[in-house]
Structure formats: structure tokens, C-alpha cells
Amino acid sequence: MTTLRKAIILAVFFAVTSAGAALSYAALWTDISWRQAQLWAGSFCCLGFLLGGIYAFDPDSDLKIKSSAIGRMSFGVIASLILSALWRWPLEAVALASLIGAVLGYVGMMWAKFADF
């Protein structure tokens, strides 16, 4: 299996786990519409995708597949672009979200270790 394929599988696993956690904790106990539940689950899915990419490419991670700052930044930008499309943000917000995603991907485990579900 290639390194990228392993990283994508890990990121998708984190994304599905995060979306499942969001649905099980919030959607069943609150009075929100199905559309809102889908948006929030998708948002947590993007966060999980970003965390999975960080864990796959960060040298300080126990789940490391390969050390790569470009890989972490790429996963951050992809997650932020998906989140921007999901919430239909204007172009300026998409650019800002991409920048924030790239920075979060670059700093990697320094902030991701505090995002524990």
C-alpha cells in the first residue's frame, strides 16, 4: 500500500469517528433539524479528516506513516475547502479558511494533542 493511501484511510477513519461522535452526542439529545445535524456532522467530519492527516504525517505521532509538513498542510487545506463548500462560505472566507487549515496542518501535533474526543 502506498503512503498516501494509508494516510487517506487513516484520515477517513478519523473523519467517520468524529462525525459519529457528533451525531451520537448532539443530534439525538437536542431539538435540531435533520439538515442542521448533517451540517454539524459534516463539520466534525472535516475536523476528523484534518486530525487524521496530522496523525498520519506528524513526526511526533504514534500513528505516523511518514513525516511530511506538506502532507499535513495539504490535508488541512482539503479539510477547510470541504468545510467551506459545506457551509457555502463566500470566497474571502474560503481563502481565510484555507490559510487557517494550512497553518493548523503545519503546526500539527502542537495543537492536535489538545483536540481529544
Side-chain angles (χ1 to χ4, degrees):
M1 232 187 222
T2 64
T3 303
L4 182 61
R5 187 176 302 160
K6 289 179 187 177
I8 290 173
I9 289 171
L10 183 64
V12 168
F13 173 74
F14 270 73
V16 169
T17 304
S18 298
L23 284 176
S24 67
Y25 287 131
L28 300 177
W29 308 110
T30 59
D31 187 28
I32 59 175
S33 69
W34 180 245
R35 170 108 172 107
Q36 282 292 83
Q38 287 177 330
L39 284 174
W40 284 104
S43 298
F44 276 93
C45 193
C46 290
L47 175 66
F49 187 78
L50 172 61
L51 288 175
I54 288 171
Y55 276 99
F57 289 115
D58 199 284
D60 297 335
S61 172
D62 294 336
L63 303 174
K64 171 183 66 171
I65 295 171
K66 182 180 179 182
S67 297
S68 172
I70 298 295
R72 291 190 314 265
M73 291 172 63
S74 299
F75 273 78
V77 170
I78 291 168
S80 64
L81 289 176
I82 293 171
L83 186 67
S84 301
L86 186 68
W87 286 93
R88 296 185 181 114
W89 290 342
L91 189 58
E92 297 85 10
V94 172
L96 181 62
S98 297
L99 179 65
I100 291 171
V103 168
L104 287 177
Y106 182 74
V107 296
M109 289 297 289
M110 286 191 283
W111 76 270
K113 63 184 172 186
F114 298 110
D116 187 23
F117 293 109

